[in-house]
Amino acid sequence: YERSQRVSNDGNSFHSISTVVRPRQLPTADELASFYSHTEGLTSKSEQPEKKYVAPLESEKLVTPAIHEIDPDQNLLLTLSLPLLRSRNSGVVLSVIALHWHCGIRSHEVLLQIAKSLIRLLHSNREVKFVILNSILNIVKDIPSYFQPYLSDFYVNTSDDPAFIRHLKIKIVAIVADAQNIDMILTEFETYVAHPNKTFVCDVVNAIGDIASRIPEVAERCLQGLLTLTTSNSDKVVASA
């Protein structure tokens, strides 16, 4: 639109100036990606090295609509929001993930970026970590293979992690367990059963039971480990085993 104003040169005479104000252009997808690629270096401590991707199982493969079936405005929204997964604001990242999870096509490339973004946010304070772990727990049930490369990020720090963080990590580890990584997981669990917090030990026992029922190849080993816990001094641990 045009805006006119009168300007005085000498206090007596006036002349008109017309100013044309144009609406601000929205940033393109390339400009957004460039901006967040510059800020990504500020969080290098929390970035994880590139890890090997494990192909999804047949049961995990998601049916995605063809690109022409998506409304153009919806496609534009999904495209422009994707670079925001690199944001340092956890609320922004979770909002973008929710958008792509519920309104997107869940392509392989997008799911890889979602998993990587969530793992990056795990290196935050424990309140944010609790929210992120809950989000991962909801997603990992559908696509466990996308989080298997980051298995060690879900190992419990028994000296630092609070009880509510330990509980969520154990549940996630039990879900991503498969025939390839089960040896590492059971070895890790063996160190947890000696923890003084018996509620945490019961969570580990329940996770071992879930793994045994889901992966028949390791059921015997799991049962042998559970039998050794029946001699525990804690009635709660014995009951769980």
Side-chain angles (χ1 to χ4, degrees):
Y1 59 90
E2 291 191 359
R3 182 179 60 193
S4 299
Q5 59 181 356
R6 303 188 68 192
V7 180
S8 173
N9 289 331
D10 53 6
N12 297 319
S13 60
F14 293 86
H15 65 275
S16 297
I17 297 177
S18 296
T19 305
V20 178
V21 180
R22 294 182 175 85
R24 183 179 177 183
Q25 303 249 351
L26 292 173
T28 64
D30 291 337
E31 291 172 341
L32 282 173
S34 175
F35 172 79
Y36 281 101
S37 65
H38 292 158
T39 60
E40 188 176 14
L42 298 176
T43 56
S44 57
K45 285 186 178 180
S46 34
E47 287 290 351
Q48 296 296 304
E50 200 67 30
K51 300 187 180 181
K52 185 178 179 182
Y53 166 70
V54 180
L57 303 174
E58 285 296 327
S59 59
E60 295 176 31
K61 291 182 179 179
L62 304 173
V63 178
T64 58
I67 194 67
H68 66 271
E69 296 179 0
I70 298 180
D71 183 84
D73 291 336
Q74 179 185 356
N75 188 40
L76 179 63
L77 172 63
L78 295 171
T79 302
L80 293 178
S81 64
L82 200 56
L84 293 174
L85 287 174
R86 300 178 180 177
S87 173
R88 290 173 291 169
N89 188 308
S90 58
V92 171
V93 175
L94 289 177
S95 296
V96 174
I97 290 174
L99 171 67
H100 283 267
W101 187 257
H102 296 291
C103 302
I105 61 173
R106 301 192 193 179
S107 67
H108 170 67
E109 293 76 13
V110 171
L111 293 177
L112 285 176
Q113 293 187 55
I114 287 176
K116 185 177 180 180
S117 300
L118 288 170
I119 296 299
R120 174 174 62 86
L121 293 177
L122 280 180
H123 299 268
S124 306
N125 59 65
R126 63 183 190 174
E127 289 78 12
V128 173
K129 187 183 295 186
F130 175 74
V131 176
I132 299 302
L133 286 172
N134 270 299
S135 300
I136 293 176
L137 185 60
N138 291 327
I139 294 176
V140 75
K141 296 173 183 177
D142 294 330
I143 51 169
S145 64
Y146 284 86
F147 291 92
Q148 286 172 349
Y150 307 101
L151 176 62
S152 59
D153 291 280
F154 301 112
Y155 286 166
V156 174
N157 184 343
T158 54
S159 62
D160 186 53
D161 286 340
F164 56 89
I165 296 295
R166 295 196 300 260
H167 176 72
L168 291 174
K169 282 187 173 182
I170 290 298
K171 294 183 72 173
I172 293 172
V173 170
I175 293 174
V176 301
D178 63 8
Q180 283 70 43
N181 59 26
I182 188 60
D183 289 334
M184 293 186 296
I185 291 175
L186 291 180
T187 301
E188 185 72 13
F189 279 1
E190 287 175 1
T191 64
Y192 297 162
V193 295
H195 196 274
N197 188 317
K198 299 309 177 184
T199 302
F200 171 57
V201 175
C202 290
D203 288 339
V204 176
V205 169
N206 293 332
I208 294 174
D210 292 340
I211 293 173
S213 62
R214 192 163 50 85
I215 309 176
E217 296 87 347
V218 296
E220 184 176 353
R221 180 181 173 185
C222 292
L223 291 175
Q224 289 176 352
L226 293 177
L227 285 175
T228 61
L229 294 176
T230 58
T231 59
S232 172
N233 295 328
S234 170
D235 293 340
K236 184 183 292 187
V237 173
V238 173
S240 297

